[in-house]
Amino acid sequence: MTERPTALVTGASRGVGAAIARALGPTHHVILGGRDEKSLAEVAAELPDARPWPVELTRVTEADVAGVERLDVLVHSAGITRLGRIADLPADAWRRMMEVNVVAVAELTRLLLPALRRARGHVVCVNSGSGQRANPDWSAYAASKFALKAFADALRLEERDLRVTTVYPGRTATDMQHEVRKYEGGPFEPEKYLRPESVARAVLAVLNAGADAHLTELTLRPAAGPVN
């Protein structure tokens, strides 16, 4: 058994999730959730006290979380996007985004509530600027992120002993942003976007706000470049 507080981070194989895991590594035992076993193992090898947790988040069961008795931090960083106009997006695209971005988050949280309650833990939902406003071609993704906000707000009210924070990063230099820019027909310009490490530092600031503080929402935007 470790004496460190325990954190579980989804989407931890790359991008923002991996950056958050690395930021938590010096102080936490980190459980690295994701599908890419090789990448998870590589991130785990960098950290002093971490273990990979290869999992398909849309099919998590009680057996998958059976070993987690106490959980101090749960960070939901995994997510997918598919852009397109409403006229062109089939129902399957909507269902898939809701399944990954909302339903999987709700189910994993539900399964881990006993462990979170024991620790009076902190749940962080890494949302998006699309969870604050909807733009053309972003309808399904924005709908899933608005729903994620609603989930976090309801969880905060229902579980009074937990802290629940929604973080809204703007455009971030990740693989997802590569795909977004490809769809938009523009270049990938990382100097105009947030770095994953900047989002990770914001999550740390949320977690370290102090025992008397409950920071419920935090919005980040790139200092240069697009607002959304």
Side-chain angles (χ1 to χ4, degrees), residues 192-209:
K192 293 185 177 180
Y193 313 138
L194 291 165
R195 297 171 63 240
E197 294 76 13
S198 297
V199 180
R201 284 193 294 271
V203 171
L204 276 190
V206 165
L207 297 174
N208 294 326

Side-chain angles (χ1 to χ4, degrees), residues 9 12 16-26 30 32 43 47 200:
V9 182
V16 170
I20 293 170
R22 292 185 181 104
L24 290 168
V30 187
L32 307 167
V43 176
L47 305 179

